[in-house]
Structures are given as C-alpha cells and as structure tokens.
Amino acid sequence: MSKLLKKIERVVFNRGNNEAPFKFHGGLELAPNKLGLDKSIQTIPLPNELVIPLLNYHKQLLEPVVSIGDHVQKGQWLAHNLPCPANGTVRCLEEREVMQAQPLLTQCIVIDVIVSSKTAIPSGTSPTNNCNTISGYNDNDNSTNNLWLETLQQHGLTGLGGAAFPTAAKLQTWVNANNANTKKAVNTSQLATLIINAAECEPSIACDEALMQAHADEIVKGIELLKNRVQCERCVIAIEDSKPRAIAKIKLALEKQLTTTKTDTPIELLTIPTRYPSGAESVLIKIVTGQSIPKSKLPIDFGVVCLNVGTAYAVWQSYQGEPLTSRIISLTGPAMPNPCNVRVSFGTSIEHVLKSTGNESALKNYTIRAGGPLTGFPVRNMQLPVSSKTNCISAHTSNASATVAQPCIRCNACVDVCPEYLLPQQLHWHISAANWQQSRAQNLFDCIECGCCDVVCPSNIELSNYFRYAKAQLLELDWQEEQAKIAQIRYENRNKRLERLKAEREKEIAFRKSKLATKPAQGENNIADAIARAKARQRNKKKS
Amino acid sequence: MATTLLTVIVCFAILYIAGAWLTHIHSAANQNSSDKQQSLINTVNELLPQTQCAQCGYPGCRPYAEAIVKNGIDINLCPPGGDQTIEALANLLGQPVIPLNTEMGENKPPQVAIIVEKDCIGCTLCIQACPVDAIVGAATFMHTVIEQDCTGCELCLPPCPVDCIELVPGKTGISNWAWPKPAS
C-alpha cells in the first residue's frame, strides 16, 4: 500500500511540477479567466417546457416511442436510447430550431413539465433497469460488461466534452477485448491507456473544474469503475496546472480510493502545463502518450481511449441508476452579470437558463455565444434548447466576428500555432479559390477547429470558420459522388433489363414466325381435307 | 540450282513468318488501343453527374462519354454538371475550359420529382420514362417517386398525360448542417 501511495506522490509532485511528458506543436498561452468557481453548483429549476431534438450523433432522425398526450417519467425513453429529462406530458412533435451554427429546423419532442414529483404518474414503456443486476466492480466477464455497456446506452450516455459521441460505442471494442494486447492493435509498444480529460483548456469555460471541486469522490469512483471494466494498463487523469483547487480535491479523492481498494495500476494524476488547446482529444493523447493520431485512425487503434471528466462522473451516476439528462454549464464571459456554473436539464431554453440565474439583462444588451470565445458560435434565437454538447453560454459586449478581415499577408503566425502541423494560410488560399480537393490533399480534415489561428491572425481572418465551411463542402461533394455512383448502377441495370426484355421479345417473335411458316402447308391440307370430306358427304347424300 | 531453290524457299518462309508476326503485332496494337479507349470512356463517364437526363442529346451519361471519346464531341453539353464537370473533363482530356452551351439547358440546383398522388391516374408512362427506375407503381394504381434514387432529370414530365409530376428542391447530403461561408 505504501508503495502505491509513493507512486501516486511521485506522479503528483515530481511530474506535476515539471512539464508534461510530451510537448505538442503550436498552441497558445491564454490567461485563464474562469469565473464563478467560488459559488457552489446550483441546479436550476425546471422550465415549463423541454424541447428534445429527435436526433442521434450521426444526425439521423430517431423514431419516437411516445405519442402526444402521453405521461412520461424522468428516465423513460422518448425514442431509442433517449431518456426523458423530467416528469411531464408530451405536448407535441414539431419542427424546432436546434443548437447549431447555421439555423436548422428539426423534429423535436416538446414536453410540458409537471414540476411536483410527488404525484404518481402512470408509467409508460420504460426500459428495464439493468443497474441493480450489476454486482461489484470486480466481476469482469463479458456478459457483465455487455450488460454495463447496454445500461450506458439506455441511459443515453454521450461524451460531455463537446462532440457528444456515444460513450458505449467508444468503449465497446475495448471492453470486449479481454486481453490487453488486443487493445493495442496498431502500435504494440503503446500501453493500453485510458485518459480522463480534465484539462479544460478553453480559458473561460469552468464546468469541468466546478464539477471536480464539487464531486471529486464520485469522479474517482467513476474512473475506477471504467478502469476495471476496460482492463487498461495505464489510467491517467490529466488536469491543467492552472486549477490547483481541483487538483488538490482529486488528489485527496485518489488517496482515499487507494486506502479502500487494492489495485496494480493506480490512477495517475498528471498535471499538464496550461497551454491551449491541451484539452483537445488528439492533443491530449499526444501530451500523455507521445502518440500522434492521424485523422484516418481512431485513438482506439493506438490503444488509447479518451473520456471527458464529466463523462466519468456520468458513468458513476449511471452505475447508481441515474440516466444522463442534465449537465453542468458555465455561464461566463465579460458581459455576464452573474457568472456561475449551473446544472441544467437537457431541453431547457437558453432564455430560461439566463433568467433563472439572474442574468436576464445579458439577453437584451449583449451578444450570446454557445460555447466559449474560441470554439463557440453566436446564437440569435434564445429559445434554443441546451443539449449534452452545450458546455458554456457566454455573453460578450460586441460581436467578435464583426471586425473586418484584411487580406492575408503570409506572416506564417497561424502555421506556428497550429497544433496539427497544418498550413492554415495555404488552406485559406485554396478554400477562397473553391479548390476543395486541394484543401483535402493538404489534410484539411486533420483540423480540430481549435481557433488558435484565428487568435493570432493579424488580418482578422476567420480561418477556422473557413475550414468548417470547406469541410462541409467536401462532405457534400463526397455525398454527391456517392449518389452519382448509385444512379449509374441503376441506369446500367435498367439498360441491361431493357436489352434482355428486347432480346426475349425478338426471340418470341422469331419463334411465332417460324411456327407460322410451317403451319400453312398443314393448313392447306386441312382445308383440302375438309373440302374433300364435305364433297364426300354431299355425294353420299345424293346417293341416298 | 538446288541452292537457288533452297534460297527462294527460305526467303518465302522468312517473309511468311515476318508477315504473320506483323499481323499479330498490328492486331495486338488494335486490341490495346481499344482497351485504352474503353478505360478513357469509363473515366469520362465517372466525371459526368449520372443524372441520365439526356439534355446533351445522347440517351444517357455513358453514351455522351462515348461520343466525347470516339467522335470528339464538345465537352460543354452537360447542364447538370455545369462548370465543375466541364473543368474536370478539360483537365482530363487536355482541352481548354469552355463555358456551358446553354442551348442544352441551364445549370440548376439539385431537384427531385414528386407525384401529386391525388391526380395520378396510374398510366405507367412515367415509370417507363425514368432512366434510373426511381418510380414505382402499376397500371391503374397510384405511382410514387423513390426520392432518394431520383436524379431530377425531368424525363418523367413530358409523358405524363395529366401533368401530375412536380419538381421540388432536391435533397442534399449534409448541406442542411453546413457551416455558412465566412463573410470576409
């Protein structure tokens, strides 16, 4: 035990005060500006209506499993793997705008919330709750693991880092590979590593830090659960060194965990230098393992799984039987009257979030962004519902994108800060000329949209917006090509069918003609015979 | 005398062998060039949008590709492909980029056909006209367009006796989710 404690100490103190094991290219040193961390996390009261988009991660429409007028309970499915955030009644299914840079209408379920939880509501079709059947941590056979993954799925667990990738899908292959060696398919020198991303590098977002200060014990339990289930060889929680309070809380929780459970691979606490964008998945993997992940590969191909610290907490909550129906959101920004971190149910409108936290004045006077100043986008419709992707709502005095862009002067500043070794000025050049394939050839899809290039550009060019735009264009072109291939196959198949039918018809005509050609001879005979018979009959009549 | 005869025989033999060999080479070269032509036709065909609309004057994308390669027909006759296709074809064939021949039609945004079902009399004429088999139905039964397979070629419009087919703005892949073009 003391040996293990020493190992943790070494990790915390020796490595923590030095630099992280691996450096990454580029990035920015941005002064942290995390607000509202002195206040505890409040859960904001439920609004009158919740709007739940019927969309999955792949932006496919989901089939609802409830009908209009149904009473629904918290945790009950509205669609497959989509738990309802609160008790209420299904008011309607209609097209509403969802949180997205470009306004988009999509099919949503609108729920009238019934606030009083005491009134008994008849339950509808609710998924079976598997949580109670999962026994202790150490059961690690495949069926228990599959049951656990199924529960994560049913509880609607998605990553809470911002991309909202389904957690169960991320863990699936890893969990089912019993042998650690099969978990590192590509690079065998790499340890099978589970990384918990608590870097939270965007300077003004503080939701993960607030969570770590409030729920360090539960987070550590969640990580322990994940660690035991996926059977990794190394488990790291990485926090930026600008969060001493969170680090202290997590360290305390780790030590407490060590005194209660025996383990060969203790959770390492890795303090990394504060440098944006250390919290981006590919960058953090580079910092922790030294491994660069090309866009054509997934981290899992290199034996690495990266989960957000909020997801680890949600995993623990799910183990306790609680589905993922709310998240912590940072209300921040220079123009936010009362910056704080609050727990918000999915489907709550931005307007309700701001009104119930004393930030109503920000609605009228300032520009509201979903997400932080670097990765977020401006929001105009305040009725947009919060989703598991929304980690921050920030208020700004002026629209940052209103600054006029000047021509690129090829200063190379964007190249120096790009963590993915891209050439942003060159990509911008190709995209401006609508030279899509060239921008793809220069690894446009490696761009993680961190916005470092936007910050340093002396000409105020919105480089990352250009890259988002070009990515969408390329995806559209790929889709068109795919459609063209389908049309070509259908056209060729149709032509083959028409030719076959024509050939069959010609064969049939030829057959009938040949039949006719032989028949006339027989026919004449028949006629002659008939005449002969008729004459014979007449002769017989005359005779008689 | 005998040597002369032998020489003559040998000469004839050599000529015969050389002739046979030359014929063989010639046919092989022919074979080779027709293979090359076929693969060029395939490449050209892949650059065309596969709408199969016949606006170019040929009964489909492949026939037009064959005409371009075999007869050197102009590369600017494809309205659905527009400038993008012309540029791609020009690059492939080493020809100058020329503007679209608008006599054939205008380049339009993606569209799909829909059948106004209350007006459809079930005559099957549109089914026969559809180049990609994207309309289903049977005689005296209502027809409908398989939206995801419709290329928006408009070939079903002329045969319809009751004008119950309309064109609506077409589906796009993820463009509904696209990021707007930056203002600057």
Side-chain angles (χ1 to χ4, degrees):
Chain A
M1 181 54 70
S2 62
K3 220 178 179 181
L4 286 174
L5 270 175
K6 258 183 197 162
K7 197 169 175 186
I8 277 212
E9 299 267 302
R10 183 177 61 78
V11 170
V12 174
F13 297 112
N14 295 355
R15 208 186 255 165
N17 291 334
N18 294 338
E19 285 196 328
F22 297 97
K23 283 186 170 176
F24 65 96
H25 177 262
L28 292 169
E29 267 182 47
L30 300 170
N33 182 27
K34 315 248 178 191
L35 303 170
L37 283 167
D38 42 345
K39 298 166 204 159
S40 61
I41 301 170
Q42 302 290 325
T43 304
I44 68 159
L46 283 165
N48 292 330
E49 62 160 38
L50 292 170
V51 181
I52 313 294
L54 284 169
L55 279 178
N56 67 5
Y57 173 77
H58 302 285
K59 288 164 183 169
Q60 291 156 333
L61 270 183
L62 297 168
E63 190 78 21
V65 296
V66 289
S67 358
I68 294 166
D70 279 3
H71 287 298
V72 285
Q73 279 184 311
K74 186 179 177 182
Q76 183 188 332
W77 277 1
L78 298 175
H80 193 65
N81 295 338
L82 184 71
C84 178
N87 296 343
T89 323
V90 179
R91 187 201 297 166
C92 56
L93 268 119
E94 62 180 17
E95 296 219 313
R96 293 276 186 115
E97 206 177 306
V98 294
M99 200 81 95
Q100 170 77 11
Q102 176 109 314
L104 171 83
L105 290 172
T106 194
Q107 205 58 238
C108 295
I109 289 187
V110 183
I111 290 166
D112 281 323
V113 175
I114 299 170
V115 179
S116 139
S117 56
K118 282 171 194 165
T119 45
I121 294 164
S123 64
T125 46
S126 177
T128 48
N129 196 343
N130 288 330
C131 317
N132 304 330
T133 49
I134 298 177
S135 47
Y137 284 160
N138 299 322
D139 274 6
N140 219 312
D141 55 292
N142 259 347
S143 60
T144 322
N145 279 340
N146 284 338
L147 204 62
W148 174 63
L149 285 177
E150 211 174 285
T151 314
L152 291 186
Q153 239 172 30
Q154 288 177 352
H155 282 166
L157 246 80
T158 62
L160 293 174
F165 189 80
T167 308
K170 203 177 214 177
L171 295 172
Q172 187 81 56
T173 43
W174 238 44
V175 168
N176 288 344
N178 278 326
N179 189 350
N181 278 323
T182 56
K183 288 175 186 169
K184 36 192 186 185
V186 175
N187 190 342
T188 43
S189 66
Q190 194 74 51
L191 289 174
T193 311
L194 171 69
I195 301 173
I196 303 298
N197 184 349
E200 196 168 54
C201 55
E202 183 139 354
S204 58
I205 301 179
C207 57
D208 289 350
E209 192 173 355
L211 178 74
M212 282 189 281
Q213 288 186 20
H215 299 288
D217 286 337
E218 288 91 334
I219 290 168
V220 169
K221 279 176 188 162
I223 301 172
E224 190 72 23
L225 173 65
L226 280 163
K227 195 188 80 180
N228 287 324
R229 286 263 169 263
V230 303
Q231 296 266 300
C232 56
E233 292 167 300
R234 191 180 172 208
C235 177
V236 182
I237 173 166
I239 312 179
E240 277 194 342
D241 57 14
S242 61
K243 304 178 183 61
R245 279 183 290 180
I247 292 170
K249 281 275 169 69
I250 291 286
K251 196 191 137 208
L252 210 69
L254 284 177
E255 281 168 359
K256 207 157 92 189
Q257 179 72 26
L258 261 191
T259 53
T260 54
T261 48
K262 276 187 178 180
T263 173
D264 298 331
T265 50
I267 303 162
E268 285 176 46
L269 174 60
L270 189 65
T271 321
I272 59 172
T274 303
R275 189 172 182 84
Y276 182 82
S278 63
E281 188 179 57
S282 62
V283 176
L284 189 67
I285 291 170
K286 170 85 181 164
I287 293 172
V288 174
T289 68
Q291 179 67 55
S292 304
I293 312 287
K295 204 71 198 171
S296 53
K297 290 263 189 316
L298 290 170
I300 208 154
D301 296 330
F302 293 88
V304 180
V305 162
C306 193
L307 289 174
N308 183 266
V309 65
T311 317
Y313 178 71
V315 166
W316 178 250
Q317 293 292 93
S318 156
Y319 187 72
Q320 304 286 322
E322 188 80 5
L324 180 66
T325 57
S326 64
R327 67 159 297 146
I328 296 172
I329 293 181
S330 270
L331 303 179
T332 183
M336 191 67 76
N338 176 29
C340 54
N341 297 289
V342 287
R343 182 164 280 281
V344 182
S345 287
F346 299 153
T348 312
S349 68
I350 295 181
E351 188 179 21
H352 181 82
V353 174
L354 293 180
K355 272 186 179 170
S356 52
T357 51
N359 286 314
E360 205 173 344
S361 58
L363 279 172
K364 287 172 199 153
N365 305 336
Y366 306 117
T367 310
I368 304 291
R369 282 172 78 88
L374 282 136
T375 51
F377 51 88
V379 177
R380 281 163 205 93
N381 180 357
M382 291 306 140
Q383 297 305 320
L384 292 188
V386 162
S387 73
S388 60
K389 289 180 184 182
T390 321
N391 52 8
C392 174
I393 297 169
S394 54
H396 301 262
T397 42
S398 68
N399 194 345
S401 61
T403 46
V404 183
Q406 305 286 321
C408 171
I409 55 166
R410 298 258 170 181
C411 64
N412 225 36
C414 50
V415 178
D416 293 338
V417 295
C418 180
E420 295 291 321
Y421 296 95
L422 299 177
L423 304 173
Q425 18 80 315
Q426 196 63 22
L427 285 170
H428 170 242
W429 188 257
H430 288 312
I431 294 163
S432 305
N435 209 340
W436 310 119
Q437 299 305 338
Q438 197 60 37
S439 66
R440 190 207 301 268
Q442 299 215 351
N443 300 323
L444 173 69
F445 281 97
D446 275 352
C447 170
I448 56 171
E449 299 170 17
C450 62
C452 285
C453 46
D454 297 348
V455 175
V456 295
C457 181
S459 298
N460 294 321
I461 301 170
E462 307 167 64
L463 287 158
S464 58
N465 279 349
Y466 270 97
F467 303 154
R468 292 183 180 108
Y469 165 64
K471 281 180 186 176
Q473 292 291 324
L474 273 168
L475 290 175
E476 176 69 24
L477 284 178
D478 288 352
W479 182 81
Q480 279 175 9
E481 210 169 283
E482 209 176 285
Q483 290 304 106
K485 274 199 184 122
I486 294 170
Q488 188 185 340
I489 291 167
R490 291 183 75 86
Y491 172 72
E492 280 166 7
N493 286 349
R494 176 175 185 267
N495 282 354
K496 271 182 206 159
R497 192 190 71 230
L498 291 181
E499 268 167 34
R500 197 194 69 224
L501 290 177
K502 201 180 161 194
E504 278 171 9
R505 203 175 151 72
E506 274 167 8
K507 206 173 152 192
E508 179 72 26
I509 290 170
F511 174 69
R512 287 193 181 179
K513 272 188 179 165
S514 70
K515 229 179 167 182
L516 277 177
T518 51
K519 257 188 177 172
Q522 273 183 350
E524 275 167 20
N525 284 348
N526 289 349
I527 293 165
D529 289 350
I531 291 169
R533 277 200 303 275
K535 278 182 178 169
R537 236 179 287 144
Q538 273 180 353
R539 255 181 272 140
N540 288 345
K541 267 184 190 171
K542 278 177 188 170
K543 275 179 190 171
S544 62
Chain B
M1 185 62 198
T3 46
T4 323
L5 195 68
L6 197 68
T7 319
V8 170
I9 289 171
V10 167
C11 281
F12 271 109
I14 288 172
L15 274 175
Y16 178 77
I17 291 166
W21 182 64
L22 276 174
T23 322
H24 174 73
I25 284 197
H26 190 68
S27 69
N30 257 351
Q31 184 69 33
N32 215 356
S33 81
S34 86
D35 273 1
K36 265 187 187 165
Q37 201 178 42
Q38 271 308 316
S39 82
L40 186 59
I41 289 171
N42 286 339
T43 320
V44 170
N45 187 28
E46 266 159 33
L47 292 179
L48 295 172
Q50 305 300 328
T51 324
Q52 318 297 354
C53 60
Q55 288 182 73
C56 54
Y58 295 88
C61 293
R62 200 178 169 85
Y64 178 42
E66 278 169 8
I68 289 174
V69 173
K70 287 182 180 163
N71 309 333
I73 299 296
D74 283 348
I75 57 171
N76 63 345
L77 305 182
C78 176
D83 295 339
Q84 215 178 324
T85 300
I86 294 171
E87 204 183 318
L89 287 173
N91 284 342
L92 176 76
L93 302 167
Q95 291 184 19
V97 178
I98 44 176
L100 178 71
N101 185 346
T102 45
E103 277 174 31
M104 300 297 163
E106 301 277 340
N107 181 271
K108 291 180 200 163
Q111 56 185 11
V112 287
I114 54 161
I115 291 175
V116 180
E117 292 173 345
K118 71 176 169 58
D119 294 340
C120 175
I121 55 167
C123 67
T124 75
L125 290 177
C126 59
I127 296 179
Q128 293 161 43
C130 179
V132 289
D133 282 340
I135 304 177
V136 284
T140 72
F141 286 94
M142 186 178 68
H143 303 345
T144 195
V145 177
I146 307 169
E147 194 188 323
Q148 68 199 53
D149 290 328
C150 174
T151 62
C153 68
E154 304 185 13
L155 287 177
C156 50
L157 298 189
C160 179
V162 289
D163 280 343
C164 73
I165 303 176
E166 286 174 5
L167 289 162
V168 292
K171 66 234 157 133
T172 45
I174 45 90
S175 65
N176 286 335
W177 297 89
W179 198 272
K181 186 177 194 277
S184 52

